[in-house]
Amino acid sequence: MENILNFLGSISWWIWIIIALFLVAIRDIFFNKKHTISHNFPIVGHLRYLLESIGPEIRQYFVANNREELPFNRIERGWVYASSKNENNYEGFGTDRDIYLHQHLFVKNCMIPFKADKEHPNAKDKSFLPCAKVMGLHNKRRKPYRPGSVINVSAMSFGSLSARAVESLNIGVQKANAYHNTGEGGLSPYHSNGGDVVFHFGTGYFGVRDKDGNFSMKKMKELIEKNPFIRAIEIKLSQGAKPGKGGVLPGAKITPEIAKIRGVEQGKDVLSPSTHTAFSDVPELLQFIEDIAEETGLPVGIKAAIGKTEQWELLAQLMVESGKGPDFITIDGGEGGTGAAPPSFADHVSLPWVYGFTAIYKIFQKHKLDERIVFIGSGKLGFPAKAAMAFAMGVDCINVAREAMLSIGCIQAQICHTNKCPSGVATQSKWLQKGIDIPLKSDRLAQYFKTFRKEFIEITHASGYEHPCQFTMQDVDLNVDDGELTKTLEESFRYTKTPVAYTCAQDLKECTYLGGHYQKLIHE
């Protein structure tokens, strides 16, 4: 035995490399039945798969220019990163965008901007920017809610995101006076750290389901009674990434904790059906909304990606006839993407946000319902200029998902569905999650929101307004074509936004229904 070990020890390192390569070649030629390239080109063929596996990283860091990548280019990601760290997020030497490209937008500034006096809320808090409307007030819900921030965390569930990521987001919204949408994975302990919460559920009814997987009003009432920080309820009809398709949470991601929160079995893939069992048509949906609102006292809304509009027309007609209906509507764009989906869905099913929102806003405006609904936009709107466009079109709040993920460390690796997220944001791996420092990341989410609101306020004031709800469709232009270089939003989308009833920022600050911890600060 000693002689054998001495012989092996005497072999040079480069001979071991040759032996290893020889064994790989034998395996490729005689035993490999799956990969043609490595069979036909043993050893060398493996380089092809290696380069392909790191191709996204090569393109991201070395090949693509600053404005080229999708879904978020380097400039957009850099702005979120710098904003979340309270670093310099300015650009020098002018824009590097081609401002003559199709759909480039221009916010029209005023000759004499709006000036806030010394007693103005924004003179004391440069990021104070609540929603101009109150959820549930028109329908006389027992617990109306005015979101304390116009930018909030969109629906992303615990299970899809890691525990540390969800906790960071929740503590962050508490610091920023925003709200945190739970996503359809149920309410977890990580959503319960002081931030306002919008409880969101879909076809799986996770957290409020009975033993057969159907909706349980009893569990919903118990959930709301035990958790007073839940300020509103959102019913998901569809989402931008995969409208009309049920969701899948792989069994590998389902820990005992997730199984308990969702009310499902550990280790088995969790399938959300493509349709609801609690209702089957629009009249039943309307009644379902009213039943939940009556039992909980909270504002109830719906979320959907937009395609056909006939059923939306019916919903609007029934709302006019009954005087009832959702308190808020979240419109998700087809460009949405935190939910993994087949390319055929992600690329082609449902309209982009601008077209989807336009179609729905026109319907509710036609029926004179737009003033009683809080409209929420979701779909890459987490940048001040895009938000100005959205508010000019009729939005009252925006929800951000991927931008929020970027603020707490996401690097756009685009492997959320593999449970191998390198930043620990979209994985249940305990090791990968350890990279998330919750106090630090919660500060960064809060700082991103505050920086966003500060810059949004500055754009608003530059346009001559006090609050972005005052933007009109005449205030933003879009590049259209060579014959007529720009058109206003009004000309492009052929409707005029209904003016929002607005007095002043001080009235928002003193509102009884204002979310966040502003009320506590006022009374102190």
Side-chain angles (χ1 to χ4, degrees):
M1 185 65 180
E2 184 176 348
N3 291 334
I4 294 174
L5 293 174
N6 290 335
F7 173 73
L8 294 176
S10 67
I11 298 176
S12 300
W13 62 269
W14 56 270
I15 295 179
W16 283 115
I17 294 175
I18 293 174
I19 293 172
L21 293 175
F22 177 75
L23 293 173
V24 171
I26 293 296
R27 177 256 181 199
D28 287 343
I29 296 171
F30 296 104
F31 299 99
N32 174 29
K33 304 295 183 183
K34 294 182 178 180
H35 302 290
T36 303
I37 296 298
S38 57
H39 175 274
N40 294 344
F41 301 93
I43 301 175
V44 176
H46 290 280
L47 292 175
R48 185 260 183 193
Y49 299 108
L50 173 64
L51 292 173
E52 183 181 47
S53 68
I54 62 173
E57 288 79 9
I58 291 175
R59 290 188 292 273
Q60 185 178 49
Y61 294 108
F62 302 109
V63 178
N65 66 40
N66 287 344
R67 301 285 187 184
E68 192 173 37
E69 294 173 87
L70 291 172
F72 293 91
N73 62 47
R74 190 172 297 146
I75 292 294
E76 290 171 330
R77 297 198 311 274
W79 182 84
V80 174
Y81 293 147
S83 298
S84 66
K85 297 173 185 176
N86 201 23
E87 295 176 349
N88 186 341
N89 61 4
Y90 283 29
E91 290 180 8
F93 214 65
T95 181
D96 62 356
R97 286 182 183 269
D98 182 349
I99 62 174
Y100 296 100
L101 284 178
H102 182 64
Q103 289 196 336
H104 186 80
L105 63 90
F106 304 89
V107 180
K108 297 178 182 178
N109 61 297
C110 200
M111 184 173 75
I112 301 176
F114 175 86
K115 183 179 180 180
D117 59 39
K118 293 181 180 180
E119 298 302 316
H120 192 279
N122 290 138
K124 301 174 181 179
D125 180 356
K126 295 185 182 300
S127 67
F128 177 75
L129 193 57
C131 179
K133 290 181 181 176
V134 179
M135 293 179 178
L137 195 60
H138 180 275
N139 288 326
K140 297 181 174 60
R141 308 303 189 200
R142 296 193 300 276
K143 304 172 187 176
Y145 174 56
R146 185 192 295 275
S149 170
V150 297
I151 180 172
N152 302 281
V153 173
S154 192
M156 296 182 287
S157 61
F158 169 55
S160 295
L161 298 192
S162 68
R164 284 176 172 262
V166 173
E167 189 168 350
S168 298
L169 294 173
N170 191 258
I171 296 173
V173 299
Q174 190 273 334
K175 294 175 180 177
N177 293 295
Y179 68 68
H180 186 183
N181 191 306
T182 63
E184 63 177 313
L187 182 75
S188 73
Y190 313 106
H191 291 105
S192 312
N193 291 279
D196 286 353
V197 164
V198 172
F199 181 76
H200 169 110
F201 67 89
T203 56
Y205 307 116
F206 300 123
V208 288
R209 61 192 261 150
D210 61 22
K211 61 181 181 180
D212 297 318
N214 297 315
F215 177 77
S216 169
M217 185 66 78
K218 179 182 177 182
K219 287 192 174 182
M220 173 65 81
K221 289 179 65 177
E222 290 174 352
L223 184 77
I224 301 305
E225 289 169 2
K226 291 178 182 178
N227 302 283
F229 51 83
I230 297 177
R231 306 300 300 273
I233 298 168
E234 183 175 75
I235 304 167
K236 188 185 86 168
L237 304 179
S238 60
Q239 67 184 81
K242 49 189 173 188
K245 179 177 174 59
V248 179
L249 184 64
K253 275 192 169 187
I254 301 176
T255 63
E257 183 179 34
I258 292 173
K260 181 179 178 182
I261 291 168
R262 294 198 176 204
V264 298
E265 291 186 50
Q266 182 186 352
K268 289 186 178 181
D269 290 351
V270 175
L271 307 176
S272 299
S274 57
T275 58
H276 280 267
T277 57
F279 54 88
S280 58
D281 56 27
V282 176
E284 288 182 3
L285 168 62
L286 191 63
Q287 187 58 52
F288 186 55
I289 291 169
E290 291 303 314
D291 289 345
I292 294 175
E294 178 61 29
E295 293 290 340
T296 65
L298 295 179
V300 179
I302 55 177
K303 173 185 177 178
I306 306 304
K308 297 179 181 180
T309 58
E310 293 86 353
Q311 291 172 321
W312 289 95
E313 285 275 4
L314 177 57
L315 175 62
Q317 291 169 14
L318 292 174
M319 289 175 65
V320 171
E321 294 169 4
S322 66
K324 302 175 181 179
D327 300 292
F328 62 96
I329 297 176
T330 303
I331 302 300
D332 204 10
E335 58 270 67
T338 57
S344 56
F345 271 82
D347 295 346
H348 300 290
V349 182
S350 86
L351 296 171
W353 185 83
V354 289
Y355 304 132
F357 181 80
T358 295
I360 299 309
Y361 188 88
K362 284 181 178 180
I363 291 171
F364 286 93
Q365 185 185 55
K366 178 179 68 175
H367 291 280
K368 296 181 171 56
L369 296 167
D370 50 308
E371 294 181 52
R372 72 188 234 193
I373 296 170
V374 175
F375 288 102
I376 302 172
S378 176
K380 295 177 69 175
L381 299 175
F383 304 91
K386 285 188 176 180
M389 174 196 72
F391 272 74
M393 294 174 69
V395 155
D396 301 295
C397 278
I398 64 169
N399 285 352
V400 295
R402 288 171 291 182
E403 298 94 319
M405 292 168 68
L406 290 170
S407 75
I408 64 170
C410 168
I411 62 170
Q412 194 172 282
Q414 295 180 275
I415 54 174
C416 313
H417 57 295
T418 67
N419 203 32
K420 297 179 181 178
C421 170
S423 63
V425 174
T427 177
Q428 297 307 308
S429 165
K430 297 295 184 183
W431 171 256
L432 293 172
Q433 288 186 54
K434 286 182 179 179
I436 298 178
D437 182 287
I438 293 172
L440 174 64
K441 298 302 184 182
S442 63
D443 281 343
R444 289 187 177 178
L445 183 279
Q447 189 58 53
Y448 160 55
F449 276 10
K450 290 177 181 179
T451 302
F452 171 94
R453 295 195 306 242
K454 175 179 175 292
E455 290 195 15
F456 195 15
I457 290 168
E458 290 170 349
I459 289 177
T460 302
H461 290 181
S463 300
Y465 300 123
E466 181 182 26
H467 191 281
C469 74
Q470 297 173 287
F471 273 113
T472 74
M473 298 186 76
Q474 296 288 335
D475 294 318
V476 181
D477 276 9
L478 284 174
N479 278 342
V480 181
D481 54 42
D482 292 336
E484 194 169 20
L485 287 178
T486 68
K487 284 185 178 180
T488 64
L489 292 175
E490 183 176 49
E491 293 170 305
S492 297
F493 298 110
R494 299 180 182 178
Y495 74 94
T496 301
K497 168 195 167 185
T498 301
V500 174
Y502 176 78
T503 51
C504 64
Q506 188 63 36
D507 284 351
L508 301 185
K509 189 173 183 179
E510 295 173 359
C511 176
T512 306
Y513 313 119
L514 182 60
H517 58 268
Y518 290 119
Q519 288 294 331
K520 181 179 177 182
L521 294 175
I522 290 171
H523 293 304
E524 287 177 351

